[in-house]
């Protein structure tokens, strides 16, 4: 090892493969990834991409908050929540690739990029299947609290039902993830009440964020044909099945915060079909640029 | 039990957590099983949090320590089900946490509904033993810890969360 660079030891003598970090382990090593009988592997893969992309895009938006939260404790909280969701994303994208390798973008021969990274960093925006709520650009602190509340309340109900999936990986991710999401939901809910019952300014900002984000909430509890099909197969969960449960929790939070539930109206959906807002491509450009510049890089 | 298996279990059982080195992976409840078959050691580990970045280090440490003990072929498998819970931290592990200034988790009784009120835990300060403590943040330097402050000795301390 050269004394002038601590990174020399990582390279195995080939500096063309320099990137950052060292770890390339299969996150599903030793986990049974066989596709349950009677399930179309491609459909299972698309479903895992949808749930994985929700977590990945949301995680990236939360990570953009690093160093920008109003207090250090909340900065650390947002980074923690981002990391939890990244953990879900990694396993779900790896599970998608294991179910149907054809979903993974092709990379140059010999590239060491693992399948879940290829899915995260080498797909275009239209190949992402996340709900649009996850991709909306960040606003102020009230904005991230409202987004996180709407997201985590629905995610909790989804994962709670996914624990009995016939797919072992989905069931395991759900069993673990639901406990982590309960902390997210509590944190967002407490801040929602604090801002709603705080100063006139905090309340004004909370209501503005709620007005902006509410049209994206409907997609979280609407049935998409893919989700309905996998729910019927005992693999996935139809979001329409937990719409009422989500309403009950949100109403409890709104009541505690002294906030009225926004009127229904327009639902901005389409994310599950790859129809995204412009914001997603801009976010991905920043998230993906380093990985795309080093397709042979070791991380 | 073969002598090799006993050795492999003993060596794997001594590997410590990268973030909380006062705890062995066995005391943390992350090391679930050690087997040996035709000279291949298979160690099974369960991640604490899905996004825990320490998992790769745990895997490397197991491979290296077992390798140093003469086991050349080591397979580390991830077991996701059942998911890790802080209830799996052993009595010895809880004692080690307290001795090193960390507050050990209570038994897991996460309520089903959303919790909008203040978080309440009956903790004692691991430094002075006072039960007058305040929560600073539910999130800390690692995914598994919350931040507290003792109102008696005024020292901050970390609490390993119930999950």
């Amino acid at each position: 090892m050269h004394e002038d660079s601590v990174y020399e030891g990582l390279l195995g003598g080939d500096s063309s493969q320099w990137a950052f970090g060292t770890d390339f382990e299969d996150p599903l090593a030793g986990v049974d990834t066989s596709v349950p009988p009677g399930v179309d592997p491609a459909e299972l893969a698309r479903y895992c991409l949808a749930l994985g992309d929700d977590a990945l895009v949301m995680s990236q938006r939360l990570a953009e908050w690093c160093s920008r939260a109003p207090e250090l404790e909340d900065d650390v909280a947002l980074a923690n929540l981002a990391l939890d969701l990244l953990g879900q994303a990694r396993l779900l994208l790896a599970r998608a690739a294991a179910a149907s390798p054809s979903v993974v973008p092709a990379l140059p021969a010999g590239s060491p990029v693992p399948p879940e990274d290829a899915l995260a960093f080498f797909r275009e925006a239209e190949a992402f299947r996340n709900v649009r709520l996850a991709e909306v650009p960040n606003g102020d602190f009230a904005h991230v609290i409202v987004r996180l509340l709407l997201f985590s309340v629905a995610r909790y109900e989804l994962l709670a039902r996914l624990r009995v999936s016939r797919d072992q990986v989905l069931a395991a991710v759900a069993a673990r993830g639901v406990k982590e999401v309960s902390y997210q939901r509590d944190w967002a809910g407490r801040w929602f009440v604090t801002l709603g019952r705080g100063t006139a300014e905090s309340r004004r900002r909370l209501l503005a964020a709620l007005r902006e984000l509410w049209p994206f909430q409907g997609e979280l509890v609407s049935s998409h044909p893919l989700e309905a099909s996998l729910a019927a197969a005992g693999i996935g969960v139809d979001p329409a099945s937990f719409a009422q449960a989500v309403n009950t929790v949100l109403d409890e939070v709104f009541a505690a915060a002294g906030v009225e539930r926004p009127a229904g109206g327009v639902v901005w959906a389409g994310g599950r079909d790859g129809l995204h807002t412009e914001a997603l491509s801009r976010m991905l450009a920043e998230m993906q640029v380093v990985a795309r510049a080093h397709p042979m890089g070791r991380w | 039990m073969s002598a090799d298996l006993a050795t492999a279990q003993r060596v794997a059982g001594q590997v410590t957590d990268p973030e909380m080195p006062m705890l062995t992976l066995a005391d943390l409840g992350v090391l679930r099983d050690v087997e040996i078959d035709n000279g291949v050691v298979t160690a099974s580990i369960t991640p604490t949090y899905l996004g825990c970045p320490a998992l790769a280090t745990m895997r490397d440490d197991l491979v290296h320590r077992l390798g140093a003990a003469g086991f050349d072929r080591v397979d580390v498998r991830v077991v996701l089900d059942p998911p890790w819970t802080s209830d799996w931290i052993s009595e010895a592990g809880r004692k080690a946490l307290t001795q090193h200034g960390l507050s050990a988790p209570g038994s897991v009784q996460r309520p089903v509904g959303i919790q909008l009120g203040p978080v309440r835990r009956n903790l004692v300060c691991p430094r002075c033993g006072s039960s007058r403590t305040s929560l600073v943040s539910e999130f800390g330097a690692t995914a598994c810890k919350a931040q507290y402050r003792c109102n008696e000795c005024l020292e901050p301390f970390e609490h390993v969360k119930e999950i």
Side-chain angles (χ1 to χ4, degrees):
Chain A
M1 188 185 294
H2 292 259
E3 286 178 8
D4 55 351
S5 172
V6 294
Y7 298 111
E8 287 293 330
L10 302 177
L11 303 179
D14 179 2
S15 61
S16 69
Q17 295 193 334
W18 189 86
F20 318 103
T22 56
D23 180 54
F24 254 7
E25 301 277 356
D26 175 5
L28 294 177
V31 176
D32 179 8
T33 53
S34 57
V35 175
V39 179
D40 175 8
E43 209 172 50
L44 172 61
R46 284 200 298 277
Y47 184 66
C48 293
L49 282 183
L51 300 192
D53 287 345
D54 285 349
L56 176 64
V57 173
M58 190 72 187
S59 173
Q60 178 71 13
R61 285 298 189 206
L62 293 176
E64 288 174 0
W65 268 93
C66 270
S67 81
R68 297 176 186 194
E71 289 189 324
L72 180 60
E73 286 77 10
D74 295 306
D75 210 84
V76 171
L78 286 163
N80 266 278
L81 303 182
L83 184 62
D84 286 348
L85 288 172
L86 193 62
Q88 288 184 27
R90 186 175 183 204
L91 289 171
L92 289 166
L93 295 185
R95 205 288 168 263
S100 181
S102 62
V103 298
V104 182
L107 291 175
S111 168
V113 174
E116 69 272 20
D117 279 16
L119 284 165
F121 294 118
F122 292 87
R123 275 183 302 158
E124 305 293 335
E126 61 265 27
F128 277 72
R129 291 291 179 268
N130 57 281
V131 292
R132 287 182 174 186
L133 176 73
E135 74 203 36
V136 176
N138 283 328
D140 59 15
F141 188 67
H143 187 274
V144 72
I145 292 301
V146 172
R147 190 214 305 255
L148 197 61
L149 179 76
L150 300 181
F151 182 83
S152 63
V153 168
R155 190 79 171 179
Y156 181 93
E157 301 299 335
L158 165 68
L159 295 180
R161 287 159 180 76
L162 196 61
R163 285 181 288 189
V164 294
S165 171
R166 287 202 295 131
D167 183 71
Q168 290 192 23
V169 181
L170 285 175
V173 169
R176 178 64 222 178
V178 74
K179 295 172 35 150
E180 298 174 9
V181 170
S182 80
Y183 273 95
Q184 304 192 359
R185 195 179 67 159
D186 287 355
W187 184 79
R190 279 194 288 265
W191 262 118
F192 191 97
V193 173
T194 300
L195 297 176
R197 299 256 180 218
T199 64
E201 178 66 5
S202 73
R203 184 177 174 81
R204 182 187 71 74
R205 287 175 180 249
L206 184 76
L207 294 177
L210 190 57
R211 254 196 320 276
E212 180 195 331
L213 294 172
W214 188 255
F216 296 101
Q217 195 271 342
E219 190 176 15
L220 302 176
V221 290
S222 306
S223 179
H224 184 275
L226 174 68
E227 292 165 315
S229 165
L230 281 156
I235 298 291
V237 178
D238 184 341
S241 71
F242 56 74
Q244 191 49 50
V246 164
N247 279 343
T248 303
V249 178
L250 288 180
D251 282 342
E252 185 185 339
V253 179
F254 291 158
V259 168
E260 277 193 35
R261 160 190 289 275
V266 66
V267 172
W268 291 338
R272 290 277 187 259
D273 293 312
L275 301 172
H276 294 286
T277 60
E278 184 193 358
L280 180 65
S281 57
R282 291 175 182 273
M283 189 204 89
L284 292 178
E286 182 174 309
M287 186 182 97
Q288 296 177 333
V289 62
V290 176
R292 287 195 179 217
H294 301 280
M296 303 300 284
R298 292 193 180 278
W299 294 70
Chain B
M1 188 192 295
S2 74
D4 274 357
L5 177 59
T7 306
Q9 287 180 338
R10 183 174 51 77
V11 172
Q14 289 170 345
V15 175
T16 56
D17 178 75
E19 297 284 355
M20 295 186 285
M22 74 294 285
L23 281 189
T24 64
L25 296 182
D27 281 334
L28 185 57
V30 161
L31 182 65
R32 303 308 296 163
D33 192 33
V34 179
E35 288 170 20
I36 192 163
D37 187 28
N38 280 330
V40 180
V41 177
T42 303
S44 301
I45 58 176
T46 296
T48 54
Y49 284 68
L50 289 178
C52 183
L55 195 67
T57 310
M58 294 175 182
R59 197 189 314 222
D60 289 350
D61 288 349
L62 281 166
V63 170
H64 289 141
R65 292 287 291 276
L66 284 163
F71 298 100
D72 296 335
R73 290 186 293 165
V74 179
D75 189 14
V76 179
R77 303 175 86 80
V78 177
V79 180
L80 296 175
D81 183 34
W84 183 84
T85 158
S86 53
D87 285 345
W88 289 355
I89 301 178
S90 68
E91 272 312 310
R94 286 162 199 274
K95 211 167 281 178
L97 284 172
T98 310
Q99 280 167 359
H100 288 80
L102 278 88
S103 158
S107 67
V108 176
Q109 292 169 327
R110 291 286 296 164
V112 177
I114 189 167
Q115 296 301 299
L116 298 175
V119 179
R120 294 196 195 287
R121 295 187 181 93
N122 293 317
L123 302 187
V124 292
C125 169
R127 294 180 193 280
C128 75
S130 168
S131 54
R132 293 180 51 226
T133 61
S134 327
L135 175 67
V136 176
S137 173
E138 272 290 88
F139 301 90
T142 64
C144 55
K145 287 179 277 188
Q147 304 294 310
Y148 272 81
R149 182 176 50 235
C150 176
N151 299 336
E152 197 74 39
C153 69
L154 303 180
E155 287 291 327
F157 65 91
E158 292 181 307
H159 172 71
V160 179
K161 282 190 278 192
E162 297 77 16
I163 194 161

